[in-house]
């Protein structure tokens, strides 16, 4: 448990550090290197277009990241009506008590809160993912993967121009790291260039991980399931996939794709306000 709590603090700091490094490299290294082409007009120059795209992706990724943290699970432990015929709730001491909570209600030991429609605990946000922040979490994964892909392409273009090498051959990227390490220790490669090359592989790994996680999460949403329900073997009521999507993304789904907006409120909150 101590290791998990430490990871819950270190992982968000690691993500913010990677985001800051990516922003600095894009603004002060990659984008200025694109201004070397004098044939393009300033309004439609690749540097300005790429800079606008990167700022759009970064703003959505960081905006949804903040909303995931702000839309934290509610402390519903006092509001649960413990009785017969309810769903099973996992409590802090490991006991399981029946209560009239929604399916997959779970008490997280790290958050010390009860989450409605609990999916999993995300260490990179230091928060549980449930009904209140599921949409923002998916948007965060989507735009993080796109921002990493954008940084990867810009970094490869910078390395290609700096080292006068081509990435037409797919094996060129795979063999880039071992060749760069040997050149770095022989003094033929600068430390800044070596750092960019290392970041290329980091962006590739983070981008693929976020994209795969986003696709897997969307598949579960279409089925009307959560990772917690799958792990516990819970049986969910079959519903049309459109209803499952609307439950998570709401009617303002198009707005949520363009700008970071708050997630739809949970069913429990709606029932409570009624």
């Amino acid at each position: 448990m101590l290791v998990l709590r430490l990871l819950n603090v270190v992982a968000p700091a690691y993500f913010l550090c990677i985001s800051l490094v990516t922003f600095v490299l894009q603004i002060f290294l990659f984008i200025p290197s694109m201004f070397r082409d004098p044939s393009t007009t300033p309004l439609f120059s690749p540097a300005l277009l790429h800079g606008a795209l990167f700022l759009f992706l970064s703003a959505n990724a960081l905006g949804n990241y903040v909303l995931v943290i702000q839309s934290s699970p509610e402390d519903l432990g006092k509001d649960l009506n413990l009785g017969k015929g309810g769903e099973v709730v996992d409590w802090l001491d490991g006991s399981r008590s029946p209560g009239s909570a929604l399916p997959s209600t779970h008490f997280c030991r790290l958050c010390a809160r009860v989450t409605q429609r609990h999916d999993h605990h995300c260490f990179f946000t230091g928060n549980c993912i449930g009904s209140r922040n599921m949409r923002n979490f998916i948007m965060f994964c989507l735009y993080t993967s796109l921002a990493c892909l954008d940084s990867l392409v810009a970094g490869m273009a910078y390395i290609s121009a700096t080292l006068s090498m081509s990435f037409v051959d797919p094996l060129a990227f795979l063999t880039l790291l071992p060749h760069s390490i040997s050149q770095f220790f022989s003094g033929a490669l600068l430390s800044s260039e070596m750092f960019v090359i290392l970041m290329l592989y980091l962006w590739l790994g983070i981008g693929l991980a976020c994209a795969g996680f986003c696709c897997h999460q969307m598949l579960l949403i279409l089925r009307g399931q959560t990772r917690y329900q799958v792990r516990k073997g819970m049986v969910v009521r079959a519903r049309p996939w459109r209803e499952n999507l609307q439950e998570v993304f709401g009617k303002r789904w198009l707005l949520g794709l363009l700008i970071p907006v708050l997630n739809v409120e949970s069913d429990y909150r709606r029932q409570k306000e009624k």
Side-chain angles (χ1 to χ4, degrees), residues 5-234:
R5 292 185 182 276
L6 181 61
L7 181 62
N8 201 43
V9 176
V10 174
Y14 173 77
F15 170 77
L16 293 177
C17 181
I18 294 298
S19 302
L20 180 60
V21 171
T22 302
F23 183 82
V24 171
L25 288 177
Q26 285 272 13
I27 298 299
F28 296 101
L29 192 63
F30 299 159
I31 295 179
S33 65
M34 298 179 184
F35 280 102
R36 299 175 180 176
D37 188 4
S39 61
T40 57
T41 59
L43 183 60
F44 299 100
S45 63
L48 293 180
L49 294 178
H50 172 77
L53 177 61
F54 173 72
L55 291 178
F56 172 76
L57 297 177
S58 301
N60 276 275
L62 293 178
N64 283 285
Y65 180 81
V66 173
L67 291 179
V68 169
I69 298 176
Q70 288 184 346
S71 303
S72 59
E74 297 177 278
D75 190 4
L76 304 177
K78 298 180 181 180
D79 298 326
L80 291 178
N81 181 20
L82 299 182
K84 296 182 179 180
E87 298 292 338
V88 175
V89 180
D90 296 337
W91 295 105
L92 180 61
D93 57 357
S95 61
R96 297 163 62 85
S97 303
S100 58
L102 294 177
S104 68
T105 299
H106 175 66
F107 185 91
C108 179
R109 295 176 173 86
L110 296 176
C111 294
R113 292 176 179 176
V114 178
T115 309
Q116 295 289 351
R117 288 192 62 83
H118 176 81
D119 188 86
H120 69 284
H121 181 88
C122 177
F123 289 97
F124 286 98
T125 60
N127 202 1
C128 275
I129 307 301
S131 59
R132 297 190 63 187
N133 52 11
M134 175 59 74
R135 181 179 67 177
N136 297 122
F137 177 76
I138 294 177
M139 291 295 100
F140 160 68
C141 292
L142 174 62
Y143 280 105
T144 299
S145 63
L146 293 178
C148 288
L149 176 61
D150 178 83
S151 301
L152 176 63
V153 173
M156 292 176 62
Y158 174 80
I159 291 298
S160 178
T162 303
L163 302 182
S164 301
M165 61 178 302
S166 175
F167 290 98
V168 177
D169 186 4
L171 295 178
F173 183 79
L174 299 178
T175 59
L176 175 62
L177 183 60
H179 290 168
S180 301
I181 294 177
S182 61
Q183 292 179 1
F184 174 73
F185 285 105
S186 63
L189 193 65
L190 298 177
S191 58
S192 59
E193 298 171 348
M194 185 64 198
F195 180 76
V196 173
I197 293 174
L198 293 176
M199 290 298 299
L200 292 180
Y201 290 91
L202 184 61
W203 288 325
L204 177 63
I206 296 177
L208 291 179
C210 290
F213 198 91
C214 184
C215 293
H216 179 256
Q217 204 71 41
M218 285 298 301
L219 180 60
L220 292 178
I221 291 176
L222 291 174
R223 296 177 178 176
Q225 295 178 311
T226 63
R227 293 181 60 187
Y228 179 76
Q229 291 174 337
V230 174
R231 188 171 68 252
K232 294 294 182 179
M234 297 180 179

Side-chain angles (χ1 to χ4, degrees), residues 12 146 188 190 264 266 274:
L146 293 178
L190 298 177
V264 292
S266 62
K274 292 181 180 179

